[in-house]
Amino acid sequence: MSKFLLKSYKPQEVDYGFYENLKKEKTFPFVKRKDILYYYFEKDGYAFGQYLCNYFEIIEIIVDEASNQHSLKIIIYHNSEERETVLPLSAFSSRNIHSLRDVGILYNPYNAGALLAEYVDRQVLEMNKTVHHNKVGWFTNKDGELEFLGYDDEYTGDICLTCSSDNPEEQIQGLDLLIADSVPCQIAVASGLSSCIVGLLNELGEVIEPPIFHFYGDSSTGKSTALMLGASVWGKPEFGNDIFQSWNATNNAIMSSLNNNHGVILALDESSVSNKEFTNLVYCISQGIEKGRLNKNCSKREQRSWNTSIISSGENSIVNNCKKNTGISARVVEFPNVKITNSAEHSENIKRFCLKNYGAIGQAFVDVICNNGIDETIREDYMTLREEISQQLTESTAIDNRLCRYYAIIGLCSRYAKKFLSLNLDEEKIIDFLIENNQSVMPKTTMFEKAYAYINEWVTANPSAFINGESTGTNKVGFIRKGRVHFFKTAFQKILKEGGFSDYTVVLHTFKEHHVLHCEGDRLEFRTTINNRKVDCFAINLDVETDEILDSINEIIEN
């Protein structure tokens, strides 16, 4: 009879007293001896031991939050060496057990399958599970508390929030010296921080569409430097990193880069290298959620979502490269031919600095928000600053009013960064620059052009607000038929008021004069039938491009 077993696939009899002592082992009947896992059992009054495999132990049970897939982090012992790996729980099923040899678990080929499954199950039942996720940014946890994810050990997403140093003061002091004399550089930094505020405001219930801050012009303006400044807030601003991508990627790849991002900037470089038409992509980005789709088994697939900011560069305008640029103008803040850096040497100094000093400011900014109660006051701060900026815009349009949201967020970032981090972003100069830039970029339009663009824009941004074959809820504002939108009267008045148009009848008369209002005789209304009931609506012919966008806005996800 053997007291200590050698490696043998067949069961061997062991000393019964030895067997009785083994029962004190916590893992009995599975026992480790010299990096070997044995199974001990009793039969007909005799004790036996059997080699199962080289020893491994489970150190963590990992549950993927999105798929609910269970994995095991294990340490494998072999020839006095240790190696850590992660395997799916299903690897220990009888169907998949052969794959264990590929990772170095040399199991008994005769009857180890069921025994290894039992060994694993015993450990799994006694261990707590660690839930891993791929979410980054602001989320409300199960206790109703706001938290910023991505720096936690449970984060396994693609965005790597790396810091070159644990000391943000080093990055702040060095950055201050480089951007003190350049307001555009300060705007680039604030744009990088803006993603944090966009994600936070949305999580608090303030609907903010993801903004795109686009710097464009010739190669000497420093637009790539602006991108590096904005990206360096969160991580290393190196092309190909998760936060620093290219417009030349496929639309679906860009949307995937945004998935579950609710607070970290995405930098997209060189829109000019791509010949793509940006309209559908920009609209999809601004919606913050992809179209619902089904899995292969016809169950509803979880939709990708995001609430963050994009900072972008290129030689040409995104707005001018879109079919329906009026609507795009409300989503993209463009800085054309702005001299961002003072000289080529200044630009190179900033780039070198950003590649050596990155990530600490973003983490410090999150800590500031979490530790100073900003989440309790930010909505009021935002609304107040937005109204102040709106009043400074002369002849403001509905598009201007929407852009004010983004200007206010940039202003708040500069305010908080200066107050809590001593990062000298000059809020007053930044807002003055944004207003001046707005006045030079935004075209002057007539009442009809403003109102008609606003209505087409609203329809494009809110397709789910209309009755269709699948949805007839009580909160619908109307319906769309054959290139014509039919608004319920009360809903139309409310929508126009939200857009800054105080008298809806004046707007309707301009629509009638320009032959886009479908009405009966001298009336402004059009009577139609819905759900077997006659109703008066305001029927407006949609812009051809709006109609096309409604048909194709989600196609990029499916293609």
Side-chain angles (χ1 to χ4, degrees):
M1 292 183 292
S2 302
K3 186 173 183 180
F4 296 99
L5 293 172
L6 297 176
K7 180 176 175 181
S8 175
Y9 288 144
K10 294 181 179 181
Q12 298 181 40
E13 186 180 353
V14 297
D15 181 81
Y16 199 85
F18 171 70
Y19 172 76
E20 286 293 321
N21 284 330
L22 288 178
K23 290 182 179 180
K24 300 175 184 178
E25 298 277 351
K26 184 178 179 181
T27 59
F28 183 85
F30 302 97
V31 179
K32 176 190 175 185
R33 285 289 180 268
K34 296 183 178 180
D35 291 347
I36 301 295
L37 180 64
Y38 295 101
Y39 171 68
Y40 292 91
F41 63 97
E42 183 178 358
K43 184 178 181 180
D44 298 330
Y46 296 93
F48 297 89
Q50 180 180 2
Y51 168 85
L52 283 186
C53 63
N54 50 305
Y55 182 70
F56 69 91
E57 63 177 322
I58 301 170
I59 57 175
E60 185 179 11
I61 305 171
I62 302 168
V63 181
D64 182 78
E65 185 180 56
S67 65
N68 200 36
Q69 178 176 316
H70 288 54
S71 301
L72 305 176
K73 181 181 287 187
I74 65 175
I75 297 178
I76 301 172
Y77 297 82
H78 186 59
N79 292 334
S80 300
E81 295 181 355
E82 300 177 11
R83 185 169 62 85
E84 187 177 298
T85 189
V86 177
L87 296 175
L89 182 58
S90 60
F92 294 92
S93 67
S94 57
R95 177 180 298 179
N96 300 321
I97 191 172
H98 62 276
S99 64
L100 296 180
R101 289 186 175 274
D102 295 334
V103 296
I105 298 178
L106 307 179
Y107 61 88
N108 186 330
Y110 289 101
N111 63 345
L115 293 175
L116 282 180
E118 181 183 349
Y119 170 68
V120 168
D121 288 345
R122 283 170 176 256
Q123 293 185 72
V124 167
L125 290 173
E126 295 179 358
M127 296 180 68
N128 293 324
K129 299 176 181 178
T130 302
V131 179
H132 284 195
H133 64 89
N134 62 353
K135 298 175 180 176
V136 63
W138 295 103
F139 292 87
T140 303
N141 63 27
K142 61 182 180 180
D143 298 322
E145 300 172 335
L146 267 176
E147 57 183 354
F148 191 96
L149 304 178
Y151 293 108
D152 51 297
D153 293 336
E154 292 73 33
Y155 174 67
T156 57
D158 294 329
I159 296 175
C160 186
L161 299 177
T162 55
C163 295
S164 58
S165 168
D166 294 332
N167 184 7
E169 286 77 13
E170 292 180 3
Q171 188 177 357
I172 290 170
Q173 292 171 4
L175 197 59
D176 269 343
L177 295 174
L178 289 168
I179 67 174
D181 297 328
S182 172
V183 174
C185 281
Q186 294 178 32
I187 290 175
V189 174
S191 297
L193 293 172
S194 74
S195 58
C196 183
I197 301 300
V198 170
L200 177 60
L201 284 171
N202 274 285
E203 192 64 21
L204 292 172
E206 194 71 39
V207 180
I208 310 287
E209 295 173 344
I212 298 175
F213 301 102
H214 182 59
F215 296 84
Y216 74 91
D218 63 46
S219 58
S220 62
T221 58
K223 56 187 185 295
S224 293
T225 307
L227 242 64
M228 292 186 71
L229 280 168
S232 68
V233 167
W234 298 102
K236 192 169 186 177
E238 204 165 45
F239 185 76
N241 283 356
D242 304 308
I243 60 172
F244 206 113
Q245 301 290 324
S246 169
W247 281 111
N248 204 34
T250 65
N251 290 339
N252 197 36
I254 291 173
M255 304 290 275
S256 294
S257 296
L258 288 166
N259 184 35
N260 277 331
N261 185 342
H262 292 248
V264 175
I265 198 73
L266 174 64
L268 293 172
D269 198 11
E270 293 302 333
S271 60
S272 316
V273 301
S274 171
N275 293 322
K276 71 172 68 179
E277 199 281 314
F278 288 93
T279 308
N280 290 346
L281 178 57
V282 172
Y283 274 111
C284 286
I285 289 174
S286 69
Q287 284 191 347
I289 190 169
E290 72 170 339
K291 179 183 178 182
R293 291 188 291 165
L294 299 180
N295 288 315
K296 292 180 180 179
N297 60 2
C298 294
S299 61
K300 188 174 181 181
R301 197 177 83 173
E302 185 176 357
Q303 292 172 280
R304 295 182 291 192
S305 66
W306 53 89
N307 277 309
T308 190
S309 303
I310 292 91
I311 185 170
S312 162
S313 77
E315 292 183 1
N316 303 313
S317 164
I318 289 178
V319 173
N320 293 338
N321 198 31
C322 292
K323 292 179 181 178
K324 188 173 178 55
N325 57 26
T326 302
I328 300 299
S329 296
R331 292 168 162 83
V332 181
V333 178
E334 294 203 310
F335 301 95
N337 293 303
V338 171
K339 188 177 181 182
I340 298 165
T341 53
N342 301 329
S343 64
E345 182 183 4
H346 184 212
S347 177
E348 287 303 314
N349 288 339
I350 290 176
K351 289 179 178 179
R352 280 196 296 269
F353 178 85
C354 290
L355 288 172
K356 292 182 179 179
N357 302 272
Y358 51 84
I361 291 178
Q363 186 168 5
F365 195 67
V366 170
D367 291 341
V368 159
I369 292 174
C370 293
N371 299 328
N372 290 276
I374 290 177
D375 58 308
E376 298 176 2
T377 61
I378 190 170
R379 293 184 73 178
E380 183 178 350
D381 292 345
Y382 162 72
M383 294 300 294
T384 300
L385 184 55
R386 177 181 173 182
E387 181 60 28
E388 291 174 359
I389 295 173
S390 179
Q391 291 177 3
Q392 294 182 57
L393 293 174
T394 58
E395 302 180 14
S396 63
T397 66
I399 292 175
D400 291 330
N401 291 332
R402 295 187 66 179
L403 290 175
C404 279
R405 301 174 302 172
Y406 304 145
Y407 301 158
I409 288 170
I410 293 293
L412 282 184
C413 288
S414 60
R415 180 186 305 177
Y416 295 152
K418 185 170 186 176
K419 180 177 180 180
F420 297 106
L421 297 179
S422 298
L423 178 59
N424 289 314
L425 305 183
D426 194 318
E427 178 184 352
E428 184 176 349
K429 288 183 179 180
I430 286 174
I431 290 175
D432 287 345
F433 187 97
L434 292 172
I435 291 173
E436 183 179 343
N437 183 73
N438 181 88
Q439 306 289 40
S440 64
V441 171
M442 296 305 297
K444 300 297 180 284
T445 55
T446 65
M447 165 69 80
F448 165 74
E449 291 171 330
K450 295 176 185 177
Y452 190 56
Y454 173 70
I455 288 299
N456 279 274
E457 164 67 15
W458 198 95
V459 171
T460 304
N462 300 277
S464 61
F466 297 92
I467 294 171
N468 57 43
E470 301 175 354
S471 178
T472 57
T474 56
N475 295 323
K476 302 300 180 182
V477 301
F479 55 94
I480 300 173
R481 288 179 185 165
K482 297 180 180 179
R484 183 177 295 150
V485 58
H486 299 73
F487 283 105
F488 299 139
K489 293 174 66 174
T490 303
F492 181 77
Q493 295 174 40
K494 181 180 178 181
I495 290 168
L496 276 187
K497 188 174 182 180
E498 290 173 350
F501 301 93
S502 57
D503 192 334
Y504 75 96
T505 59
V506 173
V507 171
L508 289 171
H509 278 295
T510 65
F511 285 180
K512 190 173 183 179
E513 291 171 6
H514 287 80
H515 310 292
V516 297
L517 183 69
H518 185 67
C519 55
E520 299 168 338
D522 294 332
R523 302 176 72 226
L524 296 174
E525 298 88 350
F526 173 74
R527 176 158 289 194
T528 187
T529 302
I530 183 169
N531 296 333
N532 299 317
R533 189 165 60 93
K534 294 283 186 179
V535 292
D536 282 334
C537 298
F538 296 129
I540 302 164
N541 297 331
L542 290 171
D543 187 301
V544 173
E545 292 173 354
T546 297
D547 198 31
E548 291 175 351
I549 289 169
L550 288 174
D551 290 336
S552 63
I553 191 170
N554 290 297
E555 288 182 0
I556 65 171
I557 302 296
E558 297 172 346
N559 295 333

